[in-house]
Amino acid sequence: MEARDHNVLSCLQRLEMGALGFQSRDPEEVLKKDRLHQLKCRALSLRMQRNQLKAQIQKLKEAKAALDDGITMDGNDVENRVNSSQLALPLLMSRHTQLKDMLRAHHLIGGYDVVEVDSGKRVSFSLSTAYEDTYLDTYHLELDLTRGVRIHRHDIPPFIPLKTLAQENLETDLPGFLHSLWQHVNGRASRQYQLKLIKEQMETVSVMETNPLCSVLVLMCKIPGEEDTAVLLSLLYGDPLKALPTRVTLESNNKLLPDEPQWKEVKSLFLKTPPHKVLLALRSEGRIM
Amino acid sequence: MHAFGRVHVGARFATVNRDRAIPEIQIDTDASRTGCWVENMEEEYETEILQLCEEIAVLEVEKETFERDVSMQYGQYDILGAIEEDDIRRQDISKLMENIEKLEKNLARQTRLNGITLTRCCVKTIEKSKIKLVQQHRLTGHCHLCSFEVEFEIIETQEDDSLMRKVMNLNIVVDGNECKDISSIVSRVEETKSLLLFFKTLKSFCENCEHRRKTFQHFKEKYPNMVTLPEGCQSELMLIQSPKLKGCSMCIFWDIDVTLEGEIRPKIDLLLKMPEEVMTIDYNIVANAPEYFQNLLRILGAEASIESVIKTVCVTD
């Protein structure tokens, strides 16, 4: 029975394809017809979307013209009531976009993007990080508010002391806790980004040592013109919140080099200026390769 | 098998449901006899789809621009309150109103937790494509008693599977009694375009100022005869003088220092002024007082330390 049905179906299909102008019953052609159908549907829906947008823009233009003419949605006369229908949708759409703009602005200036989950039982926060003009990774934290305040889940890396910070003031001072957490996460993201810049912009400098928290950075630089001389810079970031090191040590196989005044100056420069900027300056001055 | 229309099994002829919509593309009937007719159609649809996507992107920017124009001029309008009953019954309007209410609640939540109130937000899309978005923003608002106006440009580029976002052309104006103290960090932030750092720092700074203001205000109200704020409650100076002990005065200097890296360092100092007679008896009292106060601060914190200092000159009858 099945085999016969199959034959009947394929026979009818061949008839249909013949009616539509197809001569072949190649399975590849069948697939192509499927894809053609999909493309047609997509084109149709995009056409509809485009036409809807054009209509909405037209309504907005008319609404703005009406508002400019002084027509408002107040007023009790019939004429204004007729107009209010015309204004309602465009004004609502404008307000919708305005609110979305404001929420995005809050996000751009470092807001926590608070979202209530599960009808208020849990709240999620986003922590945006940035170094100078570049936005870096965003981290997330979800808190359970049903019995006190507890961390439900998060994607904070393990070398950030989340538990310690939570014990300090999660329950007593939520804004304070979020700010301290942000400082830790942003400090580390900034140091990591500076390391990325060093690797990208200074290929001749070798990164000898680093760690996940980016609290230690050891770099080796070669001196131009002196083939066997290299300088080993150790940057220790004692404060996990800061993007500048707290201690800089300079070593070299040329034992006299670290005591030279210009290299002592370099050491102090690393304490005040981001490392990639110092290295770039040194290279442009010909002090390192 | 059923993709091409309804087929009645058992019927002698196949019934085909032809698509009602007529495509905008002309079918070349001569080429239709060959298998490559399908490929031609595919190409034409693909081209149309690309064109439509581009057109839609342009129209979306145009729509947003008109919407923002309307908000700019008529945004203060209480739109939700003004919608007529008849219109609310329309599904598209009621759905939109519901979404707007959700967004307003969300905005109130963000404002509360972020500690920053935005009163005006002007956005202009300069460039928008699948891989790049450039927008100009001008934000006006305040954080506690400090008001700001910030202009910047955001450039977003789609790189492989990640989004790169950068800040350009940052301009900041701050206004407020305490804000003269942060002018150096404002310049540094504009130079390095550190938008995020600026707002985090501003928030910490303003919270510190608010704490100082409240503390000073509290002591002025609690000890009105002894505490004066010669430069107002938003300044860093509090004066403690007992009317009974003439010539003795204590100055509390509560500085809120901001480093160029955005670190807030509050520094509270005590300065003692004693009349000549006291100085001859015990000079050290004036010299040691500041250090004594710093020790007190470490143990008791700001409010308790200041209170205990006030109490030392509280001479009861």
Side-chain angles (χ1 to χ4, degrees):
Chain A
M1 192 69 166
E2 256 181 50
R4 229 184 54 200
D5 278 349
H6 186 72
N7 271 335
V8 169
L9 277 169
S10 56
C11 186
L12 291 170
Q13 197 188 15
R14 252 178 283 139
L15 279 172
E16 180 194 54
M17 302 234 303
L20 283 171
F22 285 92
Q23 298 303 319
S24 150
R25 52 187 182 99
D26 181 3
E28 219 182 87
E29 291 287 346
V30 169
L31 273 168
K32 276 193 181 166
K33 186 65 162 55
D34 248 335
R35 175 162 156 74
L36 189 66
H37 184 74
Q38 279 175 12
L39 286 174
K40 192 195 236 170
C41 292
R42 178 135 166 81
L44 277 171
S45 81
L46 284 175
R47 260 182 246 156
M48 263 177 38
Q49 195 185 350
R50 188 235 4 231
N51 296 342
Q52 188 187 43
L53 277 169
K54 279 192 165 167
Q56 285 173 337
I57 290 174
Q58 188 54 35
K59 284 228 171 80
L60 277 163
K61 281 186 182 163
E62 288 166 11
K64 179 143 195 310
L67 287 165
D68 287 344
D69 277 341
I71 292 172
T72 62
M73 291 190 42
D74 312 316
N76 295 311
D77 52 286
V78 181
E79 199 186 279
N80 267 343
R81 278 208 61 201
V82 168
N83 287 323
S84 86
S85 281
Q86 173 203 26
L87 292 179
L89 199 59
L91 279 174
L92 284 173
M93 279 165 52
S94 302
R95 177 89 181 120
H96 191 259
T97 300
Q98 185 186 44
L99 287 167
K100 278 183 31 202
D101 282 346
M102 283 204 150
L103 284 167
R104 181 167 151 84
H106 268 282
H107 174 75
L108 289 171
I109 63 176
Y112 295 120
D113 295 338
V114 188
V115 177
E116 265 181 25
V117 179
D118 209 359
S119 49
K121 283 192 236 160
R122 293 204 298 272
V123 185
S124 89
F125 300 88
S126 300
L127 298 161
S128 315
T129 57
Y131 177 71
E132 294 191 346
D133 63 343
T134 309
Y135 285 85
L136 304 168
D137 290 331
T138 305
Y139 297 92
H140 308 88
L141 188 71
E142 204 172 283
L143 299 178
D144 190 335
L145 303 175
T146 46
R147 279 165 297 161
V149 187
R150 282 175 311 129
I151 298 175
H152 184 245
R153 52 182 182 163
H154 66 88
D155 61 3
I156 314 275
F159 39 79
I160 303 284
L162 179 63
K163 276 216 169 79
T164 321
L165 291 171
Q167 274 165 3
E168 256 179 54
N169 57 2
L170 175 60
E171 302 237 10
T172 52
D173 178 16
L174 182 61
F177 163 75
L178 288 171
H179 186 69
S180 319
L181 182 60
W182 175 82
Q183 283 181 306
H184 273 86
V185 160
N186 197 63
R188 188 263 175 172
S190 304
R191 295 192 294 273
Q192 190 185 39
Y193 185 67
Q194 286 174 339
L195 177 59
K196 178 171 171 238
L197 289 177
I198 292 175
K199 285 183 177 164
E200 277 175 9
Q201 295 171 3
M202 309 285 310
E203 287 122 359
T204 47
V205 172
S206 322
V207 177
M208 306 300 291
E209 195 187 318
T210 180
N211 65 355
L213 188 56
C214 298
S215 56
V216 167
L217 186 58
V218 181
L219 305 165
M220 187 164 80
C221 313
K222 297 209 184 69
I223 311 287
E226 296 172 39
E227 288 224 358
D228 296 324
T229 314
V231 170
L232 201 70
L233 278 158
S234 304
L235 306 175
L236 271 141
Y237 295 81
D239 187 342
L241 308 182
K242 298 227 174 74
L244 284 174
T246 46
R247 202 154 65 96
V248 179
T249 36
L250 199 130
E251 290 164 62
S252 175
N253 49 0
N254 173 358
K255 300 291 171 199
L256 302 170
L257 195 144
D259 290 320
E260 286 172 24
Q262 48 174 353
W263 285 105
K264 283 193 168 169
E265 200 189 304
V266 165
K267 262 176 70 172
S268 63
L269 208 59
F270 271 107
L271 289 168
K272 292 181 290 201
T273 313
H276 58 286
K277 292 189 181 157
V278 180
L279 291 170
L280 279 169
L282 287 175
R283 184 171 69 181
S284 68
E285 285 171 22
R287 302 258 290 269
I288 59 168
M289 295 235 301
Chain B
M1 288 298 164
H2 298 284
F4 313 117
R6 259 174 283 136
V7 176
H8 297 284
V9 178
R12 285 230 239 121
F13 302 99
T15 321
V16 175
N17 241 349
R18 287 196 187 274
D19 275 322
R20 297 269 153 77
I22 302 162
E24 285 181 357
I25 302 158
Q26 298 302 315
I27 300 172
D28 183 5
T29 40
D30 284 337
S32 73
R33 295 293 162 214
T34 62
C36 73
W37 175 77
V38 177
E39 271 165 32
N40 281 347
M41 283 287 279
E42 269 186 24
E43 249 179 68
E44 291 190 37
Y45 274 132
E46 276 166 358
T47 319
E48 195 198 352
I49 286 171
L50 273 171
Q51 281 174 351
L52 282 169
C53 283
E54 274 175 30
E55 213 183 326
I56 285 171
V58 170
L59 287 172
E60 277 176 345
V61 174
E62 206 183 318
K63 179 173 90 110
E64 269 178 5
T65 310
F66 273 108
E67 283 168 345
R68 286 171 183 146
D69 271 345
V70 170
S71 300
M72 210 54 53
Q73 281 184 275
Y74 307 104
Q76 296 82 274
Y77 211 61
D78 173 26
I79 181 64
L80 286 184
I83 305 278
E84 299 273 326
E85 284 284 333
D86 290 341
D87 291 328
I88 297 181
R89 275 186 238 131
R90 278 171 54 182
Q91 211 193 24
D92 53 352
I93 286 195
S94 66
K95 186 103 211 308
L96 200 47
M97 282 174 76
E98 216 181 282
N99 281 341
I100 288 177
E101 269 177 41
K102 279 198 195 135
L103 288 176
E104 281 183 345
K105 274 207 189 103
N106 197 0
L107 184 62
R109 212 182 295 135
Q110 305 303 336
T111 304
R112 210 171 44 236
L113 198 71
N114 295 336
I116 300 203
T117 307
L118 294 175
T119 50
R120 228 172 129 82
C121 174
C122 302
V123 182
K124 193 165 140 190
T125 304
I126 307 288
E127 189 186 322
K128 186 170 176 177
S129 71
K130 263 207 171 121
I131 50 165
K132 193 169 175 190
L133 174 67
V134 182
Q135 283 183 321
Q136 269 177 357
H137 295 254
R138 190 167 70 235
L139 305 177
T140 315
H142 59 91
C143 179
H144 292 289
L145 294 170
C146 185
S147 59
F148 58 81
E149 191 171 292
V150 177
E151 258 176 32
F152 55 92
E153 219 170 78
I154 293 277
I155 300 185
E156 277 181 12
T157 36
Q158 192 73 37
E159 287 181 3
D160 299 324
D161 55 350
S162 66
L163 188 74
M164 164 80 104
R165 186 189 285 158
K166 279 197 186 260
V167 178
M168 305 264 289
N169 304 327
L170 180 58
N171 269 307
I172 299 173
V173 175
V174 284
D175 194 24
N177 276 327
E178 301 108 345
C179 291
K180 55 183 170 1
D181 299 331
I182 57 169
S183 54
S184 55
I185 188 173
V186 168
S187 315
R188 166 63 90 94
V189 154
E190 279 180 336
E191 241 176 73
T192 53
K193 312 199 197 358
S194 309
L195 177 69
L196 207 74
L197 183 70
F198 169 69
F199 275 100
K200 292 282 182 185
T201 310
L202 181 72
K203 186 177 162 195
S204 284
F205 177 72
C206 292
E207 276 169 3
N208 270 271
C209 290
E210 182 69 7
H211 179 216
R212 176 180 69 189
R213 188 188 70 83
K214 283 199 167 124
T215 311
F216 279 2
Q217 192 70 26
H218 161 79
F219 284 122
K220 173 128 172 66
E221 283 162 16
K222 192 168 175 186
Y223 303 98
N225 300 330
M226 308 219 305
V227 171
T228 49
L229 303 169
E231 287 167 27
C233 60
Q234 283 179 267
S235 76
E236 63 259 17
L237 176 63
M238 177 165 102
L239 217 55
I240 306 168
Q241 286 163 308
S242 168
K244 307 229 190 268
L245 301 172
K246 292 267 179 342
C248 299
S249 69
M250 292 190 281
C251 298
I252 303 269
F253 285 97
W254 188 332
D255 270 315
I256 299 172
D257 201 30
V258 185
T259 67
L260 287 176
E261 283 80 49
E263 199 192 335
I264 312 285
R265 291 205 193 125
K267 218 160 60 90
I268 313 180
D269 285 310
L270 173 73
L271 270 166
L272 219 53
K273 207 175 93 158
M274 291 280 164
E276 288 287 324
E277 310 89 66
V278 178
M279 298 286 278
T280 51
I281 301 170
D282 185 358
Y283 173 76
N284 288 327
I285 191 174
V286 169
N288 293 335
E291 204 185 304
Y292 164 77
F293 185 68
Q294 292 304 319
N295 292 335
L296 211 60
L297 272 178
R298 270 189 283 273
I299 307 167
L300 297 177
E303 292 91 335
S305 309
I306 298 177
E307 178 127 40
S308 67
V309 161
I310 295 176
K311 286 206 166 114
T312 59
V313 288
C314 239
V315 179
T316 52
D317 284 311

